[in-house]
Amino acid sequence: MRKFLLSFIIIAAAGHCLAQDTLPRISVKNISNQIIISWKNNYGVKIANINIQRSADSIKNFTTIGTVLNPLNKENGYVDGKAPNPTMFYRVFVAFEGGTYIFSRSQKPVIELPKQIDTASVVRQNTEDQKKLMDFTAPAALQPAQETPDISNPGEDLLPPTRKFIKPKPPTGFVPSKFIYANRENNLIVSLPDADKEKFSLYFFDEKDRLVFEIKNIKESYLIVEKVNFLHTGWFYYHLYDDGILLEKYKFYIAKDGWVGPPPPETKRPIMTEPQ
């Protein structure tokens, strides 16, 4: 599984915290002991193959640790979650149609701390919006038919009735979200209509409420987050925001290869606090 690449949806997914270089230059980051190699591709259809290589030396003894599934992607990358040590050297091998090839310059990972999520304004705005939803005035088209009031004595009778917002009951059992769900290959599908017009952000947590990674400012309506990014199988949880407003908070299950049937029960229900 590790030889396959997360399509660079995921590197951009990690919150746009990676500054990518254009091939043959690459960026190599160490984020929470995950080595992330990323780049931009301006070569177009000329590229036939891209391999990621690793060595304890900067100029020799390189071995291939992964292959890019789609070398023509404009933005791409690879996650090395099992590096022997954080001082390894990395480079990419780029093969072109016709047999020519190049190597990028080898380089060590640069340590980069994950960005902290400032949620004070998010929580405050979300609370205000929830209060607005609890009491709202129904549109005229939804009002029940009533007798025409006596306009000679205007008063409270002229005001439209107030309806109280009724929060839907949560589903019983496991019902996948229509926005975020795992496919048959156990990769995560993120389907967000009008993503180019909104400001969607996603935060992923494990069963112990630990932030796994985040995807900020999503502009693609359909993304595939490869399962390698979750590092292990099991239940995961997410918060979906639009411009700081919490839209959905739910779960999904990443199964082992070949798994058939419904997901197993959760081993621990998380508290699901807001991301810190």
Side-chain angles (χ1 to χ4, degrees), residues 169-223:
K169 294 182 180 180
T172 57
F174 177 63
V175 180
S177 166
K178 65 178 181 179
F179 301 115
I180 300 168
Y181 52 89
N183 63 7
R184 293 183 179 180
E185 290 75 28
N186 288 310
N187 295 319
L188 190 68
I189 303 300
V190 179
S191 178
L192 300 173
D194 299 323
D196 58 329
K197 301 176 183 178
E198 304 295 335
K199 295 182 180 180
F200 291 120
S201 297
L202 267 171
Y203 301 92
F204 295 97
F205 304 84
D206 61 16
E207 285 194 296
K208 295 184 179 179
D209 294 329
R210 295 175 299 197
L211 181 65
V212 180
F213 63 90
E214 62 194 55
I215 308 177
K216 292 183 177 179
N217 196 24
I218 301 172
K219 292 303 178 185
E220 299 293 333
S221 296
Y222 185 85
L223 305 180

Side-chain angles (χ1 to χ4, degrees), residues 82-96:
K82 297 184 179 180
N85 60 70
T87 60
M88 301 294 288
F89 287 86
Y90 292 85
R91 71 182 185 186
V92 298
F93 167 80
V94 183
F96 299 92

Side-chain angles (χ1 to χ4, degrees), residues 12-197:
H16 293 281
C17 60
L18 304 179
Q20 294 170 277
D21 274 315
T22 303
L23 288 177
R25 298 187 305 272
I26 61 173
S27 297
V28 184
K29 305 285 187 178
N30 181 341
I31 301 178
S32 300
N33 295 322
Q34 302 294 305
I35 309 302
I36 302 177
I37 306 96
S38 62
W39 61 88
K40 290 183 178 180
N41 170 25
N42 286 338
Y43 287 112
V45 296
K46 297 179 181 179
I47 294 181
N49 189 33
I50 296 180
N51 293 335
I52 296 83
Q53 298 182 342
R54 181 180 67 198
S55 173
D57 188 276
S58 63
I59 56 176
K60 60 183 179 179
N61 299 322
F62 277 92
T63 58
T64 297
I65 60 172
T67 300
V68 177
L69 293 180
N70 187 355
L72 302 182
N73 283 346
K74 290 294 184 181
E75 294 183 334
N76 229 322
Y78 182 86
V79 175
D80 183 10
K82 297 184 179 180
N85 60 70
T87 60
M88 301 294 288
F89 287 86
Y90 292 85
R91 71 182 185 186
V92 298
F93 167 80
V94 183
F96 299 92
E97 294 179 359
T100 59
Y101 63 89
I102 59 172
F103 288 97
S104 70
R105 181 176 62 86
S106 61
Q107 59 188 87
K108 289 183 179 181
V110 176
I111 297 177
E112 185 167 311
L113 297 177
K115 292 184 178 180
Q116 297 296 320
I117 308 169
D118 182 9
T119 60
S121 60
V122 172
V123 174
R124 182 169 57 254
Q125 183 63 46
N126 188 37
T127 301
E128 293 175 356
D129 289 345
Q130 286 179 340
K131 290 180 178 178
K132 292 178 182 179
L133 285 175
M134 293 304 293
D135 292 293
F136 73 96
T137 301
L142 299 180
Q143 298 295 339
Q146 296 182 358
E147 294 182 0
T148 304
D150 182 7
I151 60 174
S152 62
N153 185 23
E156 293 184 354
D157 290 340
L158 291 178
L159 300 176
T162 301
R163 293 189 176 182
K164 196 169 185 179
F165 176 74
I166 301 176
K167 188 175 182 181
K169 294 182 180 180
T172 57
F174 177 63
V175 180
S177 166
K178 65 178 181 179
F179 301 115
I180 300 168
Y181 52 89
N183 63 7
R184 293 183 179 180
E185 290 75 28
N186 288 310
N187 295 319
L188 190 68
I189 303 300
V190 179
S191 178
L192 300 173
D194 299 323
D196 58 329
K197 301 176 183 178

Side-chain angles (χ1 to χ4, degrees), residues 242-255:
D242 182 6
D243 197 15
I245 306 303
L246 181 63
L247 297 183
E248 188 173 71
K249 181 167 63 173
Y250 206 41
K251 62 187 176 182
F252 58 91
Y253 184 74
I254 298 297

